């Protein structure tokens, strides 16, 4: 873009003549400042804007801007962003787009997109097929074992080359590389999670050639492990994962070498933005903030940290102005910044008489934010201005004694309100990050709040998620438990490793700490437990060495950085952990799974999941779960007919959890009849369906138990204040613990989560032949309901008996018993019902109307149920604006009714339900355009009775 300045004839109007490539005739002609800004914005151009009144006296009335004046004043505005600046700001040349890619012996040459990776480039050119199809994770291992070269030529205009500092900025290099500019080595990278900046001021010319030579992450990690003075376990993943070894030696997504739910695709490439930045005097590298509430003065403050790169020889003098118009904030401070990269903190105090709207988690209030403008003005007219959104909220981890229970509580308090964490665990949404579109991310995170969740734990074996991920969590009210990226392993603590971790943590803290959604910093996933439980059979003589490494990495390195940069959020050393008890024991608890402290992870695939007595009663359950298979429509896309059997090579290859397929069937056989169909394809589809039934019912019962335990102490255990099941999403099409399939389709579990995480819910269980029904409320105020209990015979749509209680008080943010009755008495008063022929259904009433969703209690295993008939359900579909209404008519009661519309994107209002009404309607909310005809053609209805 060429911008030509025309000196104003009046002091109020400045004009520019513009020649902008890609804007056509719209980019030519004389424009006012407002017209010019609108023009740039509408065409998405990265453009430079001259600030009115900035042209020195005596400048020509018309013509090209003097080069010397341009370089002196350096006036720029990023029209597509919120940064406006003069002098110290940067001019940016994006190097995103097409790059040349070749392998180590030049036998493969192609173009690829940046951001992106080698796998995606090969696939886009048809050199490889979809890496997720069948056994391609094995077939394409050669890609990760080879070493690839990215290269590009680009030009840099004179006015940019002559600025004082020209830098190459790499927002994300995956992972080990050497970078050369014009055949001169400028630096190396070894951390996927760090930003790299290289000074290229003396190397840049008009026409440039950049080359990035990647090392195989697999080979590099092996080399580091081989050269290490002692073993750092684990060496390799379990054989069933078909993975790569020594991932703990490389700062890369740990799951990229394989996991028990994901494939091994150790990618290479430029996975984030890469650009040239040039500037005079200084550059604003980072700006972040944290809100602080001063309890002594009852006053909110905003602590702003700005990181500058000052390239002058003398300190830079100036001032900073901070404005939050809605809060009547207009403050300024004097500043002095020394040369080099410097972090400057300033504090904005909000008048305590000014009301401040707070950021709240989903279900507790709005997610209000305020526009804050920060303007730095230095000597000689150097100005940089940034507008950011600031949110106010406080977070506290409460660990204090509990009456009638040894140990300590463990719960999060937001803005002074105790919050029960309802949610799941997040893993990377794809092995190839360039495949994660905004739409895909939005569907996944909207599905979180649609299922009444308020929390996601970003698990420590993946990646620090994208800026968009955290912005969406801010806007949707999703709290984020943020792990640092260390998981299920011990790690080296050599100087090079600790140095790169310091850079990683510092960068990520500066990038993430402004997000109100992040409520916890956790140093790792399960590594405290790995040492305590001796996962890796550590020789006794080496134990002290590994303990020392653990403390060096997580406590003396990561924790120190976090506390220096953010003391407003709790830090925990691991998950699971015993919190304060872990600290008391020297940061490594003897039993991190102690239910009297902290959080726990719990899995038991062989115990009967219907038996609530097998579940632990922790302070907080941050991982638990059961596996299931995805829908056939999801598996279909990556398989062929010979794969469509539960015992096929494909089925075992796709299962990365040892004995996982057998465990699912073993759990299902406890309570359900196995599918019996002579058609192998239908048999396979029914088996997939049954795994989802099993998973949904198991996690439903376990989560209901945790929610009932919120305000209960039983035998010294309880006061459970969080249930985060494993896991929310999938990285590919395979059996896993997820509730959402790869591609966004909800499993039965996710529909159940919508119900068991409802703000007000009920659940039933038995103890010593007595039926108990509990109520749980997340509401901020007490509320009254009635409870309706019905007993149905399996072969009839008419209840054999019904009872409605008196008004019951649900205390705010609590759980407790609502109803109890002896099972023999219940059966006797309901026409001498039997356990095998009847089912209990219950729901709440508010002011005489049904409230929330109905729940049920099975009186026997469904494999023992008698008189359970095939329901012969018919469905009619109508359209109501953008919503489709599915109306079902049934001839009998049907458990686990599953509506499937193949791969038409969208979700139902309810699914997998117990159908007890002759006529019932549910809504379908499409994520893309569809029609009644398409839905009718795709629809398939399955119930439990249909599979045998």
């Amino acid at each position: 873009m060429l911008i030509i300045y025309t000196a104003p004839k009046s002091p109020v109007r400045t004009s520019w003549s513009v020649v902008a490539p890609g804007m056509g005739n719209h980019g030519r002609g004389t424009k006012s400042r407002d017209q010019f800004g609108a023009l740039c914005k509408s065409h998405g151009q990265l453009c430079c804007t001259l600030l009115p009144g900035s042209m020195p006296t005596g400048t020509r009335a018309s013509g090209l801007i003097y080069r010397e004046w341009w370089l002196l004043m350096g006036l720029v505005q990023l029209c597509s962003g919120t940064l406006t600046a003069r002098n110290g700001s940067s001019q940016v040349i994006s190097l995103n787009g097409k790059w040349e890619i070749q392998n180590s012996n030049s036998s493969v040459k192609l173009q690829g997109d940046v951001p992106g990776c080698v796998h995606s480039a090969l696939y886009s050119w048809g050199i490889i097929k979809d890496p997720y199809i069948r056994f391609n994770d094995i077939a394409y291992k050669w890609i990760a074992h080879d070493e690839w070269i990215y290269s590009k030529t680009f030009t840099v205009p004179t006015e940019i080359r002559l600025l004082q500092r020209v830098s190459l900025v790499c927002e994300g290099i995956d992972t080990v590389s050497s970078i050369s500019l014009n055949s001169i080595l400028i630096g190396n990278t070894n951390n996927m999670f760090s930003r790299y900046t290289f000074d290229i001021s003396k190397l840049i010319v008009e026409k440039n050639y950049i080359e990035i030579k990647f090392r195989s992450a697999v080979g590099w990690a092996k080399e580091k492990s081989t050269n290490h003075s002692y073993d750092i376990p684990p060496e390799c993943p379990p054989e069933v994962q078909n993975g790569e070894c020594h991932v703990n030696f490389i700062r890369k997504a740990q799951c990229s070498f394989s996991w028990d739910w994901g494939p091994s695709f150790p990618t290479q490439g430029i996975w984030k933005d890469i650009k040239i930045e040039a500037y005079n005097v200084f550059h604003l590298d980072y700006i972040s903030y944290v809100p602080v509430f001063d309890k002594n003065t009852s006053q909110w403050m905003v602590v702003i940290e700005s990181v500058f790169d000052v390239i002058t020889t003398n300190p830079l003098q100036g001032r900073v102005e901070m404005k939050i118009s809605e809060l009547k904030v207009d403050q300024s401070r004097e500043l002095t910044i020394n040369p080099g990269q410097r972090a400057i903190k300033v504090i904005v105090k909000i008048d305590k008489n000014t009301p401040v709207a707070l950021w709240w988690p989903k279900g507790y209030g709005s997610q209000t934010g305020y526009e804050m403008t920060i303007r730095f003005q230095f000597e000689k007219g150097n100005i940089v201005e940034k507008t950011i959104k600031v949110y106010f909220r406080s977070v506290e981890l409460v660990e204090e004694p509990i009456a009638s229970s040894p140990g300590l509580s463990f719960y999060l308090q937001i803005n002074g309100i105790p919050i029960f964490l309802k949610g799941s665990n997040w893993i990377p949404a794809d092995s190839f990050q360039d495949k994660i579109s905004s739409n895909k991310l939005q569907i996944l995170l909207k599905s979180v709040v649609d299922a009444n969740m308020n929390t996601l734990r970003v698990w420590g074996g993946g990646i620090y998620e994208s800026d968009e991920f955290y912005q969406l969590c801010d806007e949707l009210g999703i709290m984020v438990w943020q792990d640092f990226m260390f998981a299920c392993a011990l790690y080296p603590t050599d100087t090079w490793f600790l140095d790169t971790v310091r850079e990683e943590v510092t960068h990520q803290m500066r990038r993430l700490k402004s997000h109100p959604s992040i409520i916890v910093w956790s140093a790792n996933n399960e590594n405290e437990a790995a040492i305590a439980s001796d996962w890796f059979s550590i020789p006794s003589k080496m134990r002290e060495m590994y303990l020392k490494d653990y403390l060096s990495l997580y406590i003396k390195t990561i924790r120190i950085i976090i506390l220096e940069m953010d003391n407003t959020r709790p830090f925990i050393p691991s998950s699971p952990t015993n919190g304060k008890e872990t600290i008391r024991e020297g940061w490594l608890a003897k039993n991190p799974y102690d239910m009297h402290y902290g959080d726990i992870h719990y899995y038991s695939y062989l115990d009967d999941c219907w038996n609530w007595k097998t579940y632990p009663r922790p302070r907080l359950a941050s991982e638990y779960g059961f596996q299931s298979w995805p829908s056939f429509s999801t598996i279909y896309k990556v398989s062929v007919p010979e794969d469509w059997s539960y015992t096929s090579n494909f089925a075992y290859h796709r299962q990365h959890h040892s004995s996982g397929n057998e465990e699912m069937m073993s759990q299902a056989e406890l309570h359900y009849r196995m599918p019996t169909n002579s058609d192998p394809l239908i048999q396979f589809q029914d088996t997939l369906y049954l795994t989802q039934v099993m998973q949904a019912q198991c996690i439903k019962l376990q989560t209901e138990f945790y929610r009932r335990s919120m305000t209960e102490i039983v035998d010294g255990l309880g006061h459970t204040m969080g249930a985060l099941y494993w896991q929310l999403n999938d990285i590919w099409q395979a059996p896993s613990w997820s509730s959402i399939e790869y591609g966004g389709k909800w499993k039965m579990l996710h529909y159940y989560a919508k119900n068991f995480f409802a703000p007000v819910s009920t659940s039933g269980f038995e103890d010593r032949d007595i039926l108990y029904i509990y109520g749980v409320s997340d509401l901020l105020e007490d509320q009254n309901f009635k409870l309706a209990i019905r007993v149905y015979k399996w072969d009839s749509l008419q209840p054999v008996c019904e009872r409605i209680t008196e008004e019951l008080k649900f205390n705010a943010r609590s759980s407790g018993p609502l109803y109890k009755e002896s099972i023999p008495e219940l059966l006797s008063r309901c026409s001498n019902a039997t356990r095998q022929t009847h089912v209990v259904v219950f729901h709440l009433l508010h002011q005489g109307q049904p409230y929330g969703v109905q729940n049920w209690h099975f009186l026997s295993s469904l494999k023992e149920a008698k008189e359970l008939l095939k329901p012969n359900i018919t469905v009619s579909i109508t359209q109501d604006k953008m919503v489709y209404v599915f109306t079902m008519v049934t001839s009998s009661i049907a458990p686990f009714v599953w509506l499937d519309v193949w791969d038409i994107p969208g979700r139902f209002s309810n699914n997998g339900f117990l159908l007890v009404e002759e006529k019932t309607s549910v809504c379908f909310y499409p994520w893309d355009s569809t029609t009644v005809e398409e839905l009718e053609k795709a629809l398939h209805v399955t119930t439990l009775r249909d599979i045998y």
Side-chain angles (χ1 to χ4, degrees), residues 19 209 535 714 830 866:
V19 180
Y209 175 76
W535 288 5
V714 178
C830 294
K866 297 177 180 178

Side-chain angles (χ1 to χ4, degrees), residues 492-503:
T493 55
D494 308 63
T495 300
W496 72 268
F497 192 87
L498 292 181
D499 284 346
T500 194
V501 167
R502 287 189 191 96
E503 293 171 1

Side-chain angles (χ1 to χ4, degrees), residues 654-723:
R654 219 65 174 185
Q655 174 59 269
H656 282 193
H657 170 59
S658 182
S659 302
N661 289 347
E662 292 79 9
E663 287 172 352
M664 280 185 272
M665 289 296 98
S666 176
Q667 184 65 233
E669 283 176 340
L670 294 175
H671 297 289
Y672 312 100
R673 296 187 187 184
M674 293 296 99
T676 54
N677 198 294
S678 58
D679 185 324
L681 178 56
I682 296 176
Q683 173 81 358
F684 181 56
Q685 293 172 317
D686 288 346
T687 303
L688 302 185
Y689 161 82
L690 185 60
T691 67
Q692 292 205 20
V693 168
M694 177 275 296
Q695 179 198 38
Q697 180 72 359
C698 285
I699 296 182
K700 170 186 182 292
L701 295 172
Q702 189 169 359
T703 307
E704 288 174 343
F705 172 77
Y706 292 144
R707 293 199 73 189
R708 290 197 300 267
S709 301
M710 178 167 61
T711 50
E712 270 196 339
I713 296 293
V714 178
D715 297 329
L717 297 173
H719 197 56
T720 304
M721 285 297 289

Side-chain angles (χ1 to χ4, degrees), residues 117 191 213 374 415 508 522:
C117 68
N191 193 319
K213 291 185 177 180
I374 308 160
N415 302 327
Q508 294 299 336
S522 176

Side-chain angles (χ1 to χ4, degrees), residues 27-45:
R28 298 182 178 275
T30 300
K31 311 290 181 186
S32 71
R33 178 179 179 176
D34 290 343
Q35 290 171 324
F36 181 70
L39 175 67
C40 293
K41 183 175 181 180
S42 66
H43 286 80
Q45 296 286 326

